[in-house]
PDB file of all heavy atoms in Angstrom:
ATOM      1  N   ALA A  51       3.158  -0.840  -0.982  1.00 96.00           N
ATOM      2  CA  ALA A  51       3.000   0.596  -0.691  1.00 96.00           C
ATOM      3  C   ALA A  51       2.330   1.315  -1.857  1.00 96.00           C
ATOM      4  O   ALA A  51       1.459   2.170  -1.657  1.00 96.00           O
ATOM      5  CB  ALA A  51       4.353   1.221  -0.375  1.00 96.00           C
ATOM      6  N   GLY A  52       2.711   0.957  -3.072  1.00 96.00           N
ATOM      7  CA  GLY A  52       2.083   1.558  -4.245  1.00 96.00           C
ATOM      8  C   GLY A  52       0.602   1.231  -4.335  1.00 96.00           C
ATOM      9  O   GLY A  52      -0.223   2.070  -4.703  1.00 96.00           O
ATOM     10  N   ILE A  53       0.262   0.007  -3.986  1.00 96.00           N
ATOM     11  CA  ILE A  53      -1.145  -0.400  -3.987  1.00 96.00           C
ATOM     12  C   ILE A  53      -1.910   0.379  -2.930  1.00 96.00           C
ATOM     13  O   ILE A  53      -2.989   0.917  -3.197  1.00 96.00           O
ATOM     14  CB  ILE A  53      -1.264  -1.922  -3.751  1.00 96.00           C
ATOM     15  CG1 ILE A  53      -0.666  -2.688  -4.915  1.00 96.00           C
ATOM     16  CG2 ILE A  53      -2.718  -2.315  -3.523  1.00 96.00           C
ATOM     17  CD1 ILE A  53      -0.387  -4.160  -4.623  1.00 96.00           C
ATOM     18  N   ARG A  54      -1.354   0.455  -1.721  1.00 93.00           N
ATOM     19  CA  ARG A  54      -2.020   1.221  -0.649  1.00 93.00           C
ATOM     20  C   ARG A  54      -2.234   2.660  -1.082  1.00 93.00           C
ATOM     21  O   ARG A  54      -3.311   3.228  -0.863  1.00 93.00           O
ATOM     22  CB  ARG A  54      -1.183   1.183   0.637  1.00 93.00           C
ATOM     23  CG  ARG A  54      -1.417  -0.026   1.483  1.00 93.00           C
ATOM     24  CD  ARG A  54      -0.813   0.119   2.872  1.00 93.00           C
ATOM     25  NE  ARG A  54       0.593   0.479   2.865  1.00 93.00           N
ATOM     26  CZ  ARG A  54       1.601  -0.396   2.811  1.00 93.00           C
ATOM     27  NH1 ARG A  54       1.354  -1.680   2.786  1.00 93.00           N
ATOM     28  NH2 ARG A  54       2.843   0.018   2.809  1.00 93.00           N
ATOM     29  N   ASP A  55      -1.215   3.266  -1.716  1.00 92.00           N
ATOM     30  CA  ASP A  55      -1.347   4.652  -2.176  1.00 92.00           C
ATOM     31  C   ASP A  55      -2.445   4.780  -3.231  1.00 92.00           C
ATOM     32  O   ASP A  55      -3.257   5.707  -3.178  1.00 92.00           O
ATOM     33  CB  ASP A  55      -0.030   5.159  -2.750  1.00 92.00           C
ATOM     34  CG  ASP A  55       1.027   5.427  -1.699  1.00 92.00           C
ATOM     35  OD1 ASP A  55       0.684   5.443  -0.489  1.00 92.00           O
ATOM     36  OD2 ASP A  55       2.203   5.603  -2.071  1.00 92.00           O
ATOM     37  N   SER A  56      -2.464   3.857  -4.195  1.00 92.00           N
ATOM     38  CA  SER A  56      -3.453   3.980  -5.268  1.00 92.00           C
ATOM     39  C   SER A  56      -4.871   3.729  -4.774  1.00 92.00           C
ATOM     40  O   SER A  56      -5.826   4.208  -5.369  1.00 92.00           O
ATOM     41  CB  SER A  56      -3.112   3.041  -6.426  1.00 92.00           C
ATOM     42  OG  SER A  56      -3.311   1.707  -6.061  1.00 92.00           O
ATOM     43  N   LEU A  57      -5.004   2.972  -3.683  1.00 92.00           N
ATOM     44  CA  LEU A  57      -6.327   2.701  -3.120  1.00 92.00           C
ATOM     45  C   LEU A  57      -6.693   3.665  -1.993  1.00 92.00           C
ATOM     46  O   LEU A  57      -7.710   3.483  -1.327  1.00 92.00           O
ATOM     47  CB  LEU A  57      -6.394   1.258  -2.604  1.00 92.00           C
ATOM     48  CG  LEU A  57      -6.242   0.181  -3.678  1.00 92.00           C
ATOM     49  CD1 LEU A  57      -6.212  -1.198  -3.045  1.00 92.00           C
ATOM     50  CD2 LEU A  57      -7.352   0.282  -4.710  1.00 92.00           C
ATOM     51  N   SER A  58      -5.868   4.675  -1.800  1.00 86.00           N
ATOM     52  CA  SER A  58      -6.094   5.674  -0.752  1.00 86.00           C
ATOM     53  C   SER A  58      -6.306   5.027   0.611  1.00 86.00           C
ATOM     54  O   SER A  58      -7.203   5.403   1.367  1.00 86.00           O
ATOM     55  CB  SER A  58      -7.299   6.557  -1.105  1.00 86.00           C
ATOM     56  OG  SER A  58      -7.089   7.214  -2.326  1.00 86.00           O
ATOM     57  N   ALA A  59      -5.459   4.048   0.922  1.00 70.00           N
ATOM     58  CA  ALA A  59      -5.600   3.322   2.184  1.00 70.00           C
ATOM     59  C   ALA A  59      -5.312   4.196   3.398  1.00 70.00           C
ATOM     60  O   ALA A  59      -5.614   3.814   4.517  1.00 70.00           O
ATOM     61  CB  ALA A  59      -4.687   2.098   2.194  1.00 70.00           C
ATOM     62  N   ASP A  60      -4.787   5.386   3.162  1.00 72.00           N
ATOM     63  CA  ASP A  60      -4.557   6.295   4.294  1.00 72.00           C
ATOM     64  C   ASP A  60      -5.856   6.964   4.744  1.00 72.00           C
ATOM     65  O   ASP A  60      -5.934   7.470   5.853  1.00 72.00           O
ATOM     66  CB  ASP A  60      -3.496   7.329   3.942  1.00 72.00           C
ATOM     67  CG  ASP A  60      -3.828   8.138   2.698  1.00 72.00           C
ATOM     68  OD1 ASP A  60      -4.538   7.615   1.815  1.00 72.00           O
ATOM     69  OD2 ASP A  60      -3.368   9.283   2.601  1.00 72.00           O
ATOM     70  N   VAL A  61      -6.880   6.947   3.881  1.00 81.00           N
ATOM     71  CA  VAL A  61      -8.148   7.596   4.254  1.00 81.00           C
ATOM     72  C   VAL A  61      -9.320   6.629   4.372  1.00 81.00           C
ATOM     73  O   VAL A  61     -10.364   6.980   4.903  1.00 81.00           O
ATOM     74  CB  VAL A  61      -8.522   8.738   3.276  1.00 81.00           C
ATOM     75  CG1 VAL A  61      -7.523   9.874   3.359  1.00 81.00           C
ATOM     76  CG2 VAL A  61      -8.652   8.222   1.858  1.00 81.00           C
ATOM     77  N   ARG A  62      -9.158   5.417   3.857  1.00 81.00           N
ATOM     78  CA  ARG A  62     -10.201   4.395   4.020  1.00 81.00           C
ATOM     79  C   ARG A  62      -9.511   3.049   4.201  1.00 81.00           C
ATOM     80  O   ARG A  62      -8.475   2.789   3.604  1.00 81.00           O
ATOM     81  CB  ARG A  62     -11.166   4.366   2.844  1.00 81.00           C
ATOM     82  CG  ARG A  62     -10.522   3.985   1.543  1.00 81.00           C
ATOM     83  CD  ARG A  62     -11.522   3.981   0.415  1.00 81.00           C
ATOM     84  NE  ARG A  62     -10.816   3.600  -0.804  1.00 81.00           N
ATOM     85  CZ  ARG A  62     -11.381   3.490  -1.963  1.00 81.00           C
ATOM     86  NH1 ARG A  62     -12.644   3.740  -2.105  1.00 81.00           N
ATOM     87  NH2 ARG A  62     -10.677   3.138  -3.021  1.00 81.00           N
ATOM     88  N   PRO A  63     -10.072   2.210   5.008  1.00 87.00           N
ATOM     89  CA  PRO A  63      -9.406   0.925   5.285  1.00 87.00           C
ATOM     90  C   PRO A  63      -9.432  -0.003   4.068  1.00 87.00           C
ATOM     91  O   PRO A  63     -10.373   0.029   3.268  1.00 87.00           O
ATOM     92  CB  PRO A  63     -10.218   0.346   6.433  1.00 87.00           C
ATOM     93  CG  PRO A  63     -11.539   1.009   6.359  1.00 87.00           C
ATOM     94  CD  PRO A  63     -11.303   2.371   5.757  1.00 87.00           C
ATOM     95  N   LEU A  64      -8.379  -0.812   3.952  1.00 91.00           N
ATOM     96  CA  LEU A  64      -8.358  -1.837   2.922  1.00 91.00           C
ATOM     97  C   LEU A  64      -9.351  -2.929   3.305  1.00 91.00           C
ATOM     98  O   LEU A  64      -9.465  -3.288   4.471  1.00 91.00           O
ATOM     99  CB  LEU A  64      -6.963  -2.453   2.809  1.00 91.00           C
ATOM    100  CG  LEU A  64      -5.902  -1.601   2.143  1.00 91.00           C
ATOM    101  CD1 LEU A  64      -4.551  -2.312   2.187  1.00 91.00           C
ATOM    102  CD2 LEU A  64      -6.276  -1.290   0.708  1.00 91.00           C
ATOM    103  N   THR A  65     -10.054  -3.415   2.333  1.00 92.00           N
ATOM    104  CA  THR A  65     -10.983  -4.519   2.557  1.00 92.00           C
ATOM    105  C   THR A  65     -10.690  -5.602   1.526  1.00 92.00           C
ATOM    106  O   THR A  65     -10.024  -5.355   0.512  1.00 92.00           O
ATOM    107  CB  THR A  65     -12.450  -4.076   2.405  1.00 92.00           C
ATOM    108  OG1 THR A  65     -12.673  -3.706   1.025  1.00 92.00           O
ATOM    109  CG2 THR A  65     -12.786  -2.911   3.328  1.00 92.00           C
TER     110      THR A  65
END
Side-chain angles (χ1 to χ4, degrees):
I53 294 164
R54 275 193 307 272
D55 287 348
S56 70
L57 296 176
S58 301
D60 56 332
V61 294
R62 64 180 180 180
L64 286 176
T65 66

